Amino acid sequence: MNRLTSRGLIAGLAASALALGLVGCSPAPAPAPTDSAAPTTAAPEQVTLRFWHNATAEPLKGIWDKASRDFEASHPGVTIESTGYQNEELQRTLIPQALQAGGDAAPDVFMVWPGGEVRAQAEAGYLKDLTAPAADTIAKFGGVAKPWEVDGKQYALPFTFGITGIWYNKDLFTQAGIASTPKTLTELADAVTKLKAIDVAPIAVGAKDKWPAGHWWYQFALNTCSVQTLQTAIPALNFDDPCWIEAGTKLQEWMATEPFQEGFLATSAQQGADSSAGMVANGKAAMEFMGAWNSGQIGSLTPDGKVPAFLGWFPFPSIPGTAGDPTITMGGGDGFGVYKDAPDVAVEFAQYLVSDEVQAAFAAAGSGIPANPAAASSLTDENLKAIAAGLAGSSYVQLWLDSALGPEFGNPLNDAIVNLMGGKGTPEDIVKALKDTAAKL
Amino acid sequence: MAHTTPAGPAVSAGPAPAGRSKRRAGTGRRWLEIAVFAGPALIVFVTFVIVPVILAAVYSFFNWNGLTPLERFIGFDNYIEAFNDPDFLQAIGNNFTIVIASILIQGPLAIAAALLLNRKLRGRAFIRAAIFVPYVLAEVIAGLSWNLLLSPNGFVNALLEMVGLEEWAQPWLANPDIALWVMFWILTWKYLGFAILIMLAGLQGVPEELHEAAAIDGAGWWKAQWYVTLPLLGPTIRIWVFLSIIGSLQLFDMVWVTTRGGPLNATNTMAVYMIVNGQTRPGYGSAIAVILFLISLTVALVYQRLAMRRDLGGAITRGVR
Amino acid sequence: MAATTTAAPAVAKRRINWSSPLIYAVAYLVVVVSVVPVLYVWLNGFRSNADINANPAGWPNPWYFQNYLTVLGSDRFWGSLASSIIVAVGTTLGVAVLGIMAAFVIAKYDFRGRQGLYAVFAAGLMFPLTVASLPLNLLIRNLGLHGSFLGVIIPQIAFALPTTIIILVPFLRAIPDELEEAAAIDGASRIGFFWRILLPLSMPGLITVGVLAFIGSWNAYLLPLLIMAAGGMPQNLWTLPLGVTQFATQYSQDTGAVLAYTSLAMLPALLFFIAAEKRIVGGLTGAVKG
C-alpha cells in the first residue's frame, strides 16, 4: 500500500460498485476524467475562475466582488465566480477537500493562511509557484510576503498583514476612570478592576471558537520566550525550553484576576450580538484581544453597520517579569494562492487582488491593514493607522503560533489552552499537546 | 441524522415468503426480476454509502493530513491514540450518559404523552401538531434558536429575572458542570416528538376492545394502560429504545450547531470529536468513525440478543397481521 | 377510540371527569414547552433590533414587519426555497421508487442472499453521513456530480434507503399472499401484481417514508454544504439550511432579520409534516408493531 492515492482508490471501488449494475438500469454516470488538463486552456477566450474567500459580510464582500467585476471588464472572456464562505468551513473543510479532489473541483484562486498552513498545501503540491510570475509584487511587498514563502518559493500573495492588539471602548474607559491605555499587564489588571466596578465585562474572548483564547497564550509565550527560542523552536518543533511552560503559568496567574466575560467558554468570536466582537460593538464588553480585522468585524455588528466612534486600539501590554521585548509583536494575515492547474490568467487575477488599486479600496474600507505598502496611505481608520505604525515599529513579528506550526497543531494546542483557561488543564498539558502533535507528524 | 431513523434493528428479513415463488417458472427470469427491482437501490446504496465507508476504513490506517497522497501506513496507531486520549474517552462517556438518560427519561415521557394523545382530547390535532414541531425543525435552526434563548442576555435568563428567580440565571451553555444536562434538555425537546410518533404508531395496533374490557372491569384508566396497553406496546418500546441508542451514540448535528462539544468538552460526543479532529487529520478522524461504527454495531447486537430476542424474526420484520 | 357499548361511555366519562383537567394541564404544558422556542423566533422576527436588544424577553412593541418583508423581497430566499424544494422532491421520489422496488423483492421473493441483502441495507443505519463525508465528497466529484442538484439528491437517496426499506418490507409482507394468488389466476404476472395491486396498497407506507425523506432532505446541512456550496453553485441556489447560516453570518448584527429568515425557512417543512402527520402514524404502525 505504497503511495496509494485516494483518488485512484475511489475510482477503483466506484468502478467495481458500478460493475454491479447488472443491466442498464444503473444511473451510471461515467467517471469524469479528472486527470486531464483543465479544458479552459483549450479556449483561452472563455475562462471561468473560481475565487474562494472568507468575506461573507460587507464591506469586504463588496470589495472582492467589485475586483472580480473589474477584472472581468479588463479581461474579456474571463468570468469570475467569487464566493465567500464562513472562515473555518472554508479553511478546514472546503479547501482541503476541493484540493484533494483536484481538477475542476478545486478553486483557481483561494485564501491561504501563512506559515505552516501554506507549507502543508505547498508540500502536497497544490499551489502554483508564484516566485517568477509575481516577482515584481513580491519584491515590492518585501518582508510582509515572507510568511507565504516555503523553501525559498513564494506560494501565495498576502492581501493583509497586521498585528494583534487590544481593541477597547474609549467611552467605557473614561466612564471607569481609566486615564491612559495600559502599558503593562499590571495596569491592564487595574483597568479590569475598574471596569468591573462599572458593571461591564472587562475583556471579551470568544473561547467557543478556541483560537481567540489561544491568542492569549501565544502572546504570553512571546513574552516568556526569547526571539531566538521562537525562531529555532518552531521550525524544529522542539518545545523543551522552560519558557513554554512559563507562558502557561503566567496565563494561569492572569486568569486568576477573572478578566473575561461571564460564560466566555461558550462565546463565539464573530457571530451575532452575543459574540465577543458583538459585545464590544454594543458596549457590553470594554476590550477584546484580536487581529486587525476586528475594526471591520465590530463595525458589521453595530446597528448602523459603521465602525463605532468609541473604538480604540493599543498594543498588548508588556508582561512584568518576563524576558519579552515590547517591540516583539504577534500577528498574521491572509493571502491568495493559485491552484497548480489553474490557467495563467488566475495568477494575473491573484496579482490584481493585491494590486495598488484593490488594496487602496481595501484599506479605505477599513477592512484591515493592506499588505501592499503602496496602499498604506489609503488607511483612514485611526485604529488601523495605529496598528500599521505598531507593525512598522516591531523589531520582530511572530506569526500566530497555530498558523506558524501548521494545520495539525491548531486543534490540540488551542484545546489545551482553553482547558487551562477553563481551569481544567495545566501549563504542562499545553506543552504536552505540542510535543505529542510534533511526535505524530 | 441522529434520532431520525424510524426503523427496526433488523438483521433478519423475516421468514421466507410463503407462497408460490418456488414453483414459478424459469429461475432465470426470477433472478432477472430480482436484479431489475433490487439492482438500482443496491447500486446507489453500495456506491454512495458502502464505498465511502470502506474508504474511510482504509484512511484510518494512515497518518494523513488530507492534502498529501496516502502513503504513510501506520497500522493501528490511530486507534491506539484514540483510546489514549482522555478527551475521546470523555466523549464516549458523554455518549453513554445520553444513551441512558434518553431511555430513562425520554422513554417514559414519550409513552405517557402518546397514551394521552391517543385518547379523545379536545384539540388533540392541535396538541399533536405542536408536539411534533421541534422534531420537524432543522438542527441548524433549532441550534440557532437555543443559542439565542440560553445566552447570558437571552430569553431564559430574562424570564427568570421577570419571575424573581434571577439567582437561577446563568450562562447555561458555558458552565461545564451543567452543560451536558442543558444539552440533554435540548435533545429531549428536539427528539421527544419522534419518540411520541413511534409510540402513537405502536398504539394503533392495540385493539380498542381491550381498553373497553378493562374499563368495564372497573379498572382505572391508568391502571388499564399499565396492565393492558403497556405490555402490548412492548415491541414498539423495544424498537424505540434501539433507535434511541443508535441515535444517541451517533449524536452530532444538535451538539455541533449548539456547543461544538464545549465548554471544556463537557458536551463532546464521539461524532463531534471525529469531525473536529478529522478536519486536519482525516486519517485519525476515519479511525474514530470506524470505532464509532463498531461501538454502535456491538451495542446493537448485544441489545438485540438481550432485549429483542422474542421480537427477532418477527415484530418489526413480520409486519401487521 | 369511541366506545361503542352503552356501558362503557358512562364508566369512561366518570373517569375522565376527575382526571380531565390534569390531563389537559399536562398536555398543554408539553405543548408550551415544545412551541415556545419556535414562537420566540417567530415573534422576534416582528421586532426591531433595538427592541430585541433592550428587552430580550419582551413582546413585539410595536409590531415591526420590515424583517419579514425584507426576507420575502429578497431573491436569495426564493432561490433557496426553490432549491430546497427541488432537492427534497427529487430525494423523496427517488427514495420512494428505489425503496419500494427493493423492498418488494425482499418481502415477496424467496432467494439465496435475501437475508444478506436486507442486512446490507440495515447496516446502513450505523453509518451517519458525517462518517464518510470526505470520501463521499471525493467520489461525487470524480463522478462529475459536483455542484449539481443530482450530486446532493443521489447520495441523500442512498442514505435514506436503510430507513425506507426497513419500514416498507414489513408493510409489503403484510399484504396477504392470497391477493397474489388471485392476481395470478387472473393472469397477471408478478410485475403486473406489483403495479396494479401492491403499489396502491402500499401507499400509506410510501407516504410515511416519503415524508421522512422529505424532512431529512429539507433539514440537511453537511451534504449541501460540501456539494452545492463548495461545488460552485451560486449562493442564490443554496438550500435553506445553508441559506440560514449564510444569512446569519452576513447579517449577524441584524438579529430580527435572521429570525425572520429562520421562521420562513422552517415553515414549509412544518406545514407539510402537520398535513401528513396522521398518515405517518398509520404508515409507521406496520414497522413498529408485531
Side-chain angles (χ1 to χ4, degrees):
Chain A
M1 234 182 232
N2 205 17
R3 249 201 109 81
L4 173 65
T5 69
S6 55
R7 197 191 300 160
L9 190 58
I10 280 186
L13 278 169
S16 50
L18 291 170
L20 279 172
L22 303 158
V23 272
C25 58
S26 97
T34 49
D35 287 324
S36 64
T40 43
T41 48
E45 64 275 3
Q46 282 302 327
V47 181
T48 298
L49 294 182
R50 296 174 64 201
F51 168 37
W52 287 5
H53 52 77
N54 72 342
T56 54
E58 299 303 336
L60 192 51
K61 184 174 183 290
I63 290 173
W64 298 141
D65 288 346
K66 179 174 184 301
S68 306
R69 297 297 84 80
D70 291 350
F71 190 80
E72 284 171 352
S74 59
H75 293 73
V78 176
T79 310
I80 292 167
E81 289 174 2
S82 159
T83 322
Y85 300 94
Q86 197 277 329
N87 196 39
E88 274 73 27
E89 269 171 10
L90 175 68
Q91 294 292 346
R92 290 287 168 247
T93 308
L94 301 178
I95 290 177
Q97 295 203 3
L99 293 179
Q100 181 72 25
D104 291 346
D108 297 291
V109 176
F110 53 99
M111 231 179 92
V112 176
W113 283 345
E117 302 281 346
V118 66
R119 172 176 290 273
Q121 290 178 359
E123 282 177 351
Y126 292 119
L127 294 174
K128 209 171 234 190
D129 178 3
L130 304 177
T131 320
D136 294 349
T137 308
I138 298 160
K140 185 167 149 194
F141 279 33
V144 81
K146 283 280 176 218
W148 286 267
E149 193 187 280
V150 178
D151 301 333
K153 291 177 182 167
Q154 191 76 29
Y155 284 101
L157 304 173
F159 64 89
T160 183
F161 195 92
I163 55 175
T164 301
I166 293 185
W167 299 85
Y168 74 107
N169 183 322
K170 291 177 188 163
D171 296 352
L172 290 177
F173 266 44
T174 314
Q175 216 181 313
I178 302 163
S180 63
T181 55
K183 301 283 180 299
T184 66
L185 202 63
T186 323
E187 288 176 31
L188 187 62
D190 279 349
V192 165
T193 314
K194 287 179 179 160
L195 287 162
K196 279 185 187 166
I198 62 162
D199 211 22
V200 294
I203 307 177
V205 62
K208 183 182 179 183
D209 290 338
K210 309 231 166 119
W211 58 265
H215 282 190
W216 279 87
W217 184 85
Y218 307 164
Q219 184 67 44
F220 280 85
L222 225 59
N223 277 275
T224 57
C225 295
S226 67
V227 169
Q228 204 192 350
T229 310
L230 293 170
Q231 279 176 326
T232 53
I234 293 170
L237 300 179
N238 175 339
F239 307 98
D240 289 332
D241 196 293
C243 73
W244 299 105
I245 293 194
E246 201 195 336
T249 316
K250 292 279 173 197
L251 179 57
Q252 241 172 355
E253 287 166 14
W254 173 244
M255 290 309 296
T257 67
E258 297 189 0
F260 298 116
Q261 81 275 19
E262 193 191 9
F264 67 85
L265 290 173
T267 304
S268 62
Q270 299 176 338
Q271 291 197 19
D274 289 323
S275 65
S276 54
M279 289 179 76
V280 176
N282 58 33
K284 284 183 179 138
M287 291 182 263
E288 188 185 14
F289 180 47
M290 195 41 77
W293 60 82
N294 213 29
S295 173
Q297 187 64 45
I298 289 171
S300 79
L301 288 164
T302 54
D304 59 0
K306 292 203 173 70
V307 181
F310 62 67
L311 195 66
W313 184 89
F314 60 90
F316 196 90
S318 65
I319 300 171
T322 65
D325 171 345
T327 65
I328 298 166
T329 55
M330 178 176 82
D334 294 314
F336 287 121
V338 179
Y339 181 63
K340 60 168 177 174
D341 294 333
D344 289 338
V345 71
V347 179
E348 255 182 83
F349 180 59
Q351 282 183 277
Y352 177 68
L353 287 171
V354 300
S355 66
D356 295 0
E357 181 190 346
V358 178
Q359 282 272 282
F362 175 81
S367 296
I369 311 290
N372 186 333
S377 59
S378 300
L379 280 174
T380 52
D381 185 289
E382 287 305 319
N383 296 317
L384 294 182
K385 284 185 191 170
I387 296 175
L391 179 62
S394 299
S395 60
Y396 176 74
V397 180
Q398 171 60 48
L399 216 52
W400 302 308
L401 292 179
D402 52 355
S403 298
L405 290 167
E408 287 92 344
F409 282 86
N411 266 323
L413 174 60
N414 294 336
D415 251 359
I417 294 168
V418 172
N419 280 352
L420 178 135
M421 291 172 76
K424 209 183 96 174
T426 65
E428 289 77 14
D429 289 342
I430 298 174
V431 178
K432 184 173 179 297
L434 285 170
K435 287 181 176 171
D436 286 354
T437 308
K440 278 178 252 164
L441 290 182
Chain B
M1 277 132 254
H3 274 288
T4 52
T5 330
V11 288
S12 163
R20 314 152 304 125
S21 38
K22 277 189 186 125
R23 56 183 161 82
R24 282 196 73 86
T27 42
R29 178 178 161 91
R30 207 165 60 89
W31 279 109
L32 183 68
E33 284 175 15
I34 290 170
V36 167
F37 273 84
L42 192 64
I43 291 162
V44 167
F45 184 73
V46 168
T47 310
F48 291 96
V49 178
I50 303 292
V51 168
V53 167
I54 291 173
L55 284 168
V58 172
Y59 297 162
S60 75
F61 295 105
F62 287 84
N63 181 349
W64 187 43
N65 68 1
L67 291 170
T68 53
L70 274 182
E71 52 190 3
R72 292 165 64 193
F73 183 80
I74 53 166
F76 284 92
D77 281 8
N78 284 329
Y79 293 84
I80 294 165
E81 184 191 338
F83 285 108
N84 282 317
D85 183 353
D87 287 350
F88 182 58
L89 299 179
Q90 187 187 356
I92 298 180
N94 288 342
N95 276 115
F96 278 95
T97 305
I98 292 170
V99 166
I100 291 164
S102 301
I103 295 170
L104 295 184
I105 297 171
Q106 292 174 4
L109 278 177
I111 295 167
L115 289 174
L116 278 180
L117 291 177
N118 203 35
R119 45 188 309 196
K120 257 209 159 95
L121 213 56
R122 200 162 305 158
R124 185 173 77 168
F126 166 73
I127 297 171
R128 275 191 180 194
I131 287 176
F132 296 137
V133 164
Y135 169 57
V136 182
L137 230 51
E139 274 81 1
V140 171
I141 291 175
L144 202 78
S145 311
W146 277 105
N147 267 329
L148 282 172
L149 290 166
L150 292 172
S151 84
N153 303 308
F155 175 76
V156 171
N157 282 346
L159 203 66
L160 287 172
E161 261 169 55
M162 239 154 69
V163 297
L165 289 172
E166 56 263 28
E167 69 269 27
W168 289 21
Q170 58 169 310
W172 296 95
L173 290 167
N175 181 345
D177 298 331
I178 59 165
L180 186 62
W181 296 104
V182 176
M183 195 61 192
F184 180 71
W185 158 257
I186 298 175
L187 294 171
T188 304
W189 173 82
K190 180 80 175 73
Y191 296 116
L192 194 65
F194 174 67
I196 295 174
L197 193 70
I198 299 261
M199 300 298 174
L200 273 176
L203 282 175
Q204 307 313 302
V206 177
E208 289 176 28
E209 299 80 40
L210 283 177
H211 296 284
E212 289 159 21
I216 293 164
D217 287 350
W221 186 78
W222 284 109
K223 236 180 178 173
Q225 304 304 321
W226 184 260
Y227 289 110
V228 179
T229 313
L230 218 50
L232 288 169
L233 207 53
T236 308
I237 294 171
R238 286 194 286 273
I239 286 159
W240 172 77
V241 168
F242 175 81
L243 294 174
S244 171
I245 291 174
I246 297 295
S248 302
L249 288 176
Q250 303 193 335
L251 185 62
F252 173 73
D253 296 22
M254 273 316 292
V255 177
W256 182 252
V257 293
T258 318
T259 63
R260 306 238 151 165
L264 304 183
N265 297 322
T267 61
N268 214 5
T269 67
M270 288 185 273
V272 170
Y273 179 91
M274 172 187 84
I275 290 294
V276 167
N277 287 280
Q279 283 175 337
T280 48
R281 298 174 63 207
Y284 184 62
S286 299
I288 304 296
V290 173
I291 295 171
L292 174 54
F293 169 67
L294 291 177
I295 290 179
S296 304
L297 190 67
T298 310
V299 172
L301 291 176
V302 167
Y303 178 77
Q304 276 203 335
R305 251 194 111 63
L306 293 183
M308 308 199 63
R309 194 180 303 173
R310 63 188 125 156
D311 302 328
L312 264 190
I316 34 117
T317 50
R318 195 190 326 118
V320 267
R321 293 283 178 198
Chain C
M1 287 266 146
T4 45
T5 60
T6 45
V11 179
K13 213 170 200 170
R14 206 165 58 235
R15 303 282 163 205
I16 288 168
N17 276 349
W18 65 262
S19 63
S20 193
L22 181 71
I23 286 171
Y24 278 97
V26 171
Y28 279 95
L29 181 72
V30 177
V31 167
V32 166
V33 169
S34 299
V35 172
V36 157
V38 179
L39 279 185
Y40 173 82
V41 172
W42 281 345
L43 280 177
N44 278 275
F46 288 107
R47 300 175 68 191
S48 68
N49 287 305
D51 193 12
I52 296 174
N53 289 334
N55 179 12
W59 196 256
N61 180 33
W63 286 76
Y64 178 82
F65 297 96
Q66 195 51 49
N67 293 327
Y68 281 97
L69 292 177
T70 307
V71 173
L72 288 174
S74 71
D75 288 347
R76 52 192 288 182
F77 175 76
W78 295 106
S80 287
L81 183 70
S83 182
S84 274
I85 290 174
I86 292 171
V87 171
V89 168
T91 303
T92 307
L93 289 179
V95 163
V97 170
L98 294 192
I100 190 103
M101 282 162 57
F104 171 60
V105 168
I106 294 172
K108 292 289 178 193
Y109 280 73
D110 182 21
F111 59 98
R112 274 169 57 95
R114 191 176 64 94
Q115 296 280 3
L117 187 62
Y118 192 70
V120 165
F121 282 115
L125 281 183
M126 318 279 174
F127 302 127
L129 186 88
T130 37
V131 169
S133 73
L134 172 62
L136 179 66
N137 189 10
L138 301 184
L139 177 71
I140 291 168
R141 287 172 195 266
N142 285 358
L143 292 175
L145 293 174
H146 202 245
S148 70
F149 284 114
L150 276 183
V152 180
I153 293 172
I154 297 177
Q156 279 189 358
I157 293 172
F159 277 87
L161 274 174
T163 312
T164 306
I165 287 176
I166 286 165
I167 291 181
L168 286 180
V169 164
F171 211 96
L172 297 187
R173 292 185 65 82
I175 293 168
D177 290 329
E178 293 75 28
L179 278 178
E180 195 183 344
E181 312 266 1
I185 291 165
D186 288 351
S189 70
R190 207 99 196 256
I191 311 293
F193 165 71
F194 174 78
W195 272 114
R196 269 176 282 155
I197 298 172
L198 199 107
L199 214 49
L201 282 176
S202 47
M203 265 308 155
L206 275 176
I207 288 174
T208 302
V209 297
V211 170
L212 292 175
F214 186 94
I215 288 170
S217 164
W218 194 268
N219 293 344
Y221 182 77
L222 187 62
L223 202 59
L225 172 74
L226 294 175
I227 307 304
M228 302 179 98
M233 281 182 96
Q235 235 166 44
N236 284 349
L237 289 180
W238 295 3
T239 56
L240 282 168
L242 292 178
V244 166
T245 46
Q246 192 73 6
F247 195 86
T249 318
Q250 190 170 345
Y251 299 95
S252 60
Q253 84 289 357
D254 197 349
T255 314
V258 172
L259 293 175
Y261 192 105
T262 310
S263 309
L264 291 169
M266 70 172 87
L267 216 51
L270 218 52
L271 293 177
F272 186 62
F273 185 86
I274 289 171
E277 177 244 311
K278 253 199 190 127
R279 286 162 176 271
I280 298 171
V281 171
L284 274 175
T285 306
V288 298
K289 237 351 253 182

